[in-house]
Amino acid sequence: MAHYRIRRTRRRVNPVLDESSRLREFYAHPVGRDVIDKLLHQQGHSNRWVDNPVVGRLRLRTVSRLSRLFTRHDLVPTLLALLNAEPDAPEPGSGPRETTWWKEAVFYQIFPRSFADSNGDGIGDLGGLLDHLDDLQGLGVDCLWLTPIYDSPNEDGGYDVRDYRAVMTEMGTLDQVDALIAECHARGMRIILDLVVNHTSDQHVWFQRALADPDGPYGDYYFLLPPDPEDPERPPNNWRSAFSGPAWRWLPEIQRWVLHLFAPSQPDLNWENHRVRDEVIDLCRWWFDRGIDGFRMDVINFISKTPGLPDGHDLIGDMVEVAGVEHYFYGPRLHEFLRELRDRAFDPPGAREPKLMVGETPGVGVETGRLLTGADRGELDLIFSFDHLESGSHSRYDDYRYDLEFYKRYLVDYQSRLGSNDWLTLFFENHDNPRMISKVNPDPQHRVALGKLLGTLLLTMRGTPFLYQGQELAAVNQPFESLEELQDVESLNRFRTLVEAGVSEAEALGQVLTSSRDHSRIPMPWDSGPGAGFTTGTPWLAGREDPGFSVAEQDRDPRSVLNHYRRLLRLRHASPALRFGEVDVVDAERSGYFAWFRTADHERWFVQLNLTDAPLEVPAVDAAAELVLGSHESPDPAALAPYESRLYRWRATDNLDSQRD
Ligand code: ISL
Ligand code: CA
């Protein structure tokens, strides 16, 4: 059984850097590497120029001087502080990878409010989910992840928890959660929940007690700060909320400011306070005793903040639209807090099997990700890094076409940097992002091919795939037309902020609609009848009719995207090579073409994708290879149709050595 105890790193591996250090030393540092890669990505550049010897030899002092020619901002001291706080470098590991269950599993994310409604109130619930477990088993997924189902005023899709040990009334009951856990396990499936502990709802009893007695024990559960007597109107620092506006809310009743990195009703918990950590550990254990298999951990990399909460750097704030992030996206005590969580809750001494820790970690790159998940580190198992979700120099609310060639290069580079200690997640969608098909190419004629291509990519690649509900149906963005159709707090706040800044309502709406989280939150279309088989009532968020793309219709069509996903899942489950085999990319430099071998023992696969909307000539594939699954009928051996995907296999008896050329 895979069971590792924590090996604490004592030796500083990364040198301490200062202004006389050279740029290449900065880039050799795991934090420096991720920071530079991110800055270059933001500007739409590749990282190749860093290899240039002249550039690499530049001293940071010179970089500082040069940057001051263009901007008054000097990033160097801020970045040096970030780098020097990280003494460790990732260790690649040696020997074979451990084959833990979560490396073999395909995860399926459920947004329960929009999955299935069992009582006609228009809100998806646990009863509805229980009714559809056979469908999920039939699809072939191994582990469900449910976004929050806890008691909550629901101002942020349940990510504002009022009581971690109770179920939201409209969602169902604790007994149903127990039944769900049991029913999943009876089907050989697992289930994880969402742990939202960077913040609580302001209706949580801890916050209520803090308000009642800010100097009592609960006052220190949050960041409650007195006003500056010189300037009482000014918040304690310049940090901004991810959902627009300052990250501080004034509480007149106690004359203090409170920190909220998300909505004003989501105050951040103060993890410096050991009682907060004890509370989190207790509630995790409580859920583990009920039988869940782990947690997806919401913005878990935000839990440690730089002591003193200093101002964020203006330039970083301008670039990522959220000032202050450098003081919490990879905070000074993050590793320590994660290890404590693992040691005391997820994997305590004597545990039969560790509980899974999947961190949602916005802003974390490949190397810092390895430091958070390495098998020798005793921290997280997996992370969601989001660097691949926008291509070029775009950010989420830009209206642009996502370039799949970018994802190819990202993935090839990412895979090449992983050792046997490392493992990655594979995903395109979740409840916070628009549908990937719409981002890549919204032209309806490509919808089915693209749906199959994205599924083929995720399910034949090495890593742990996370599918989001509806992705297996080739779900696309909604043609929303007005603000009234939206529900999401991020969208509504963004609209308001834009309009307040002088943007016209029409333009603000257009921007919000590009990437509203509501695109992925509309009800699951089970059939083409009224209410889409989701509800007999009025859905809480309405999706448009979408003929041909419901579960029932696709179930009947052998060439549907749904059936393609089912086949992919079956093939992956039956094949160690598709799960663990090496990824051997061919013609990596050829733009628009993504092809790779997966090989292990006596099995070999070949995946071929056309990432573009034009036909693509391809070399002939070895005649001994069998085309096991393809997106198109009567494939042309010499060319791939737009967005065509193919999966070939060699049988065990074939001579695997003669196939490469
Ligand atoms: O969608 C985003 C803002 O543009 C992301 O930055 C997102 O807010 C971030 O990934 C954190 O998301 C998670 O925590 C939020 C919650 O609203 C999201 O639904 C959740 O996935 C606060 O709990
Ligand atoms: Ca309901």
Side-chain angles (χ1 to χ4, degrees):
M1 184 184 53
H3 203 87
Y4 46 82
R5 292 258 64 85
I6 289 160
R7 185 185 62 73
R8 291 183 200 278
T9 315
R10 292 208 171 73
R11 198 165 49 89
R12 169 174 274 278
V13 177
N14 301 319
V16 175
L17 301 184
D18 59 31
E19 305 243 330
S20 65
S21 309
R22 296 183 190 274
L23 198 57
R24 63 161 179 263
E25 295 171 90
F26 188 99
Y27 198 58
H29 187 292
V31 178
R33 170 82 195 245
D34 282 0
V35 164
I36 291 189
D37 283 353
K38 195 172 294 287
L39 291 175
L40 291 172
H41 174 34
Q42 199 103 36
Q43 308 302 313
H45 299 306
S46 101
N47 57 9
R48 288 190 198 162
W49 68 267
V50 192
D51 294 335
N52 177 312
V54 180
V55 175
R57 268 205 304 276
L58 287 178
R59 291 195 192 274
L60 297 178
R61 190 180 299 121
T62 316
V63 176
S64 257
R65 277 197 214 112
L66 286 173
S67 69
R68 272 189 248 115
L69 292 176
F70 304 102
T71 148
R72 64 189 168 83
H73 312 280
D74 185 355
L75 271 183
V76 172
T78 307
L79 296 182
L80 280 177
L82 253 182
L83 266 63
N84 287 331
E86 178 56 270
D88 295 352
E91 303 216 1
S94 54
R97 290 185 167 81
E98 282 180 21
T99 54
T100 45
W101 70 267
W102 45 267
K103 292 181 186 164
E104 311 215 37
V106 174
F107 285 67
Y108 186 88
Q109 183 193 349
I110 291 175
F111 192 74
R113 202 176 181 76
S114 296
F115 195 66
D117 171 23
S118 65
N119 63 352
D121 66 355
I123 297 174
D125 48 45
L126 296 172
L129 177 46
L130 279 161
D131 292 341
H132 284 288
L133 283 183
D134 289 340
D135 293 313
L136 294 168
Q137 192 183 14
L139 175 60
V141 294
D142 306 282
C143 183
L144 307 182
W145 150 31
L146 270 52
T147 59
I149 53 166
Y150 317 101
D151 174 42
S152 158
N154 210 33
E155 287 179 35
D156 178 23
Y159 284 92
D160 45 334
V161 180
R162 182 163 47 205
D163 182 350
Y164 293 100
R165 293 177 177 79
V167 174
M168 198 184 294
T169 319
E170 58 258 54
M171 206 55 77
T173 63
L174 259 180
D175 285 345
Q176 284 178 305
V177 180
D178 293 342
L180 185 61
I181 298 169
E183 290 292 321
C184 283
H185 290 166
R187 287 170 172 77
M189 287 161 40
R190 303 199 188 224
I191 177 168
I192 64 172
L193 298 182
D194 214 311
L195 183 68
V196 190
V197 288
N198 173 68
H199 43 267
T200 67
S201 158
D202 59 0
Q203 294 184 24
H204 195 287
V205 65
W206 302 334
F207 193 72
Q208 292 301 315
R209 289 181 185 149
L211 283 182
D213 180 12
D215 298 312
Y218 288 92
D220 198 37
Y221 271 43
Y222 297 89
F223 296 94
L224 296 178
L225 268 69
D228 175 356
E230 311 276 288
D231 190 356
E233 308 262 289
R234 200 185 58 203
N237 66 26
N238 69 351
W239 296 7
R240 309 285 292 176
S241 148
F243 295 156
S244 315
W248 295 92
R249 164 178 166 200
W250 176 245
L251 300 166
E253 58 276 49
I254 56 167
Q255 295 288 300
R256 310 252 173 125
W257 293 98
V258 64
L259 176 70
H260 62 89
L261 295 181
F262 293 90
S265 60
Q266 292 168 299
D268 278 58
L269 283 166
N270 174 17
W271 279 66
E272 299 290 320
N273 181 349
H274 72 89
R275 289 191 197 189
V276 166
R277 306 202 297 277
D278 290 347
E279 299 268 16
V280 172
I281 283 157
D282 274 359
L283 77 91
C284 290
R285 288 179 183 156
W286 189 87
W287 279 105
F288 296 151
D289 287 346
R290 297 200 97 86
I292 64 159
D293 297 292
F295 280 112
R296 176 265 191 187
M297 302 158 82
D298 189 58
V299 285
I300 200 68
N301 59 320
F302 289 9
I303 56 180
S304 163
K305 279 96 176 162
T306 306
L309 312 181
D311 273 341
H313 196 287
D314 292 341
L315 185 59
I316 298 179
D318 286 351
M319 283 188 303
V320 300
E321 289 186 31
V322 188
V325 281
E326 70 273 26
H327 294 302
Y328 58 79
F329 89 99
Y330 195 66
R333 296 182 70 186
L334 177 60
H335 296 306
E336 176 196 335
F337 292 161
L338 293 174
R339 287 172 184 199
E340 183 179 355
L341 274 180
R342 175 174 286 277
D343 267 354
R344 293 181 55 204
F346 286 76
D347 189 12
R352 213 159 40 86
E353 185 187 66
K355 299 293 184 181
L356 179 66
M357 302 173 77
V358 187
E360 190 223 14
T361 58
V364 164
V366 176
E367 298 303 319
T368 41
R370 296 176 65 203
L371 285 167
L372 292 171
T373 58
D376 61 331
R377 304 271 306 164
E379 299 180 25
L380 302 168
D381 294 306
L382 292 168
I383 54 157
F384 294 122
S385 165
F386 296 96
D387 291 347
H388 66 293
L389 285 191
E390 312 304 332
S391 66
S393 54
H394 292 287
S395 58
R396 214 185 96 204
Y397 279 96
D398 292 347
D399 193 3
Y400 76 103
R401 291 275 187 90
Y402 182 93
D403 182 3
L404 283 171
E405 176 70 16
F406 166 78
Y407 183 61
K408 172 182 113 184
R409 289 176 194 264
Y410 169 87
L411 206 54
V412 169
D413 172 61
Y414 198 152
Q415 297 274 6
S416 75
R417 283 152 72 182
L418 302 186
S420 60
N421 272 342
D422 307 302
W423 196 255
L424 74 166
T425 57
L426 303 163
F427 71 101
F428 287 125
E429 296 187 2
N430 63 22
H431 63 298
D432 290 335
N433 283 278
R435 295 295 187 173
M436 195 62 177
I437 294 174
S438 302
K439 273 169 78 159
V440 174
N441 194 331
D443 185 339
Q445 65 164 311
H446 297 306
R447 181 172 176 184
V448 168
L450 254 175
K452 291 179 180 176
L453 178 138
L454 297 176
T456 305
L457 205 176
L458 293 186
L459 292 168
T460 62
M461 185 45 73
R462 187 171 62 197
T464 296
F466 279 74
L467 310 177
Y468 178 65
Q469 69 182 47
Q471 186 176 343
E472 75 278 24
L473 305 173
V476 293
N477 286 350
Q478 291 295 298
F480 293 123
E481 276 157 16
S482 71
L483 200 67
E484 288 65 49
E485 293 178 84
L486 302 184
Q487 296 271 356
D488 172 36
V489 58
E490 184 194 60
S491 303
L492 303 179
N493 285 2
R494 196 174 177 94
F495 177 83
R496 217 189 33 236
T497 310
L498 287 169
V499 171
E500 278 165 13
V503 175
S504 77
E505 291 204 358
E507 202 184 317
L509 180 65
Q511 226 200 79
V512 165
L513 290 183
T514 314
S515 195
S516 172
R517 303 195 295 186
D518 286 329
H519 286 301
S520 57
R521 296 183 181 188
I522 57 129
M524 181 83 175
W526 291 101
D527 60 42
S528 53
F534 163 75
T535 183
T536 53
T538 309
W540 71 279
L541 174 72
R544 299 292 169 84
E545 275 181 30
D546 191 12
F549 285 91
S550 68
V551 175
E553 290 159 289
Q554 295 201 39
D555 184 51
R556 290 191 292 269
D557 172 6
R559 300 212 51 91
S560 69
V561 176
L562 175 60
N563 279 316
H564 198 82
Y565 266 86
R566 289 174 177 157
R567 287 188 202 107
L568 283 165
L569 277 150
R570 272 202 297 278
L571 292 170
R572 186 176 177 99
H573 282 133
S575 160
L578 285 180
R579 300 194 303 276
F580 292 106
E582 291 304 313
V583 182
D584 213 345
V585 178
V586 294
D587 283 341
E589 292 307 313
R590 185 168 173 210
S591 184
Y593 182 59
F594 196 8
W596 64 91
F597 287 93
R598 298 293 309 275
T599 313
D601 302 329
H602 296 294
E603 232 191 322
R604 174 167 286 174
W605 299 79
F606 183 55
V607 185
Q608 244 186 351
L609 311 177
N610 177 358
L611 305 178
T612 74
D613 61 1
L616 197 71
E617 279 180 28
V618 284
V621 175
D622 175 0
E626 176 199 1
L627 179 58
V628 180
L629 186 61
S631 55
H632 288 60
E633 277 173 284
S634 21
D636 174 352
L640 293 170
Y643 301 117
E644 181 170 357
S645 49
R646 294 181 192 168
L647 177 59
Y648 293 91
R649 176 176 53 195
W650 282 264
R651 275 166 289 115
T653 49
D654 298 340
N655 176 5
L656 293 183
D657 295 327
S658 66
Q659 290 153 16
R660 278 313 305 272
D661 350 83

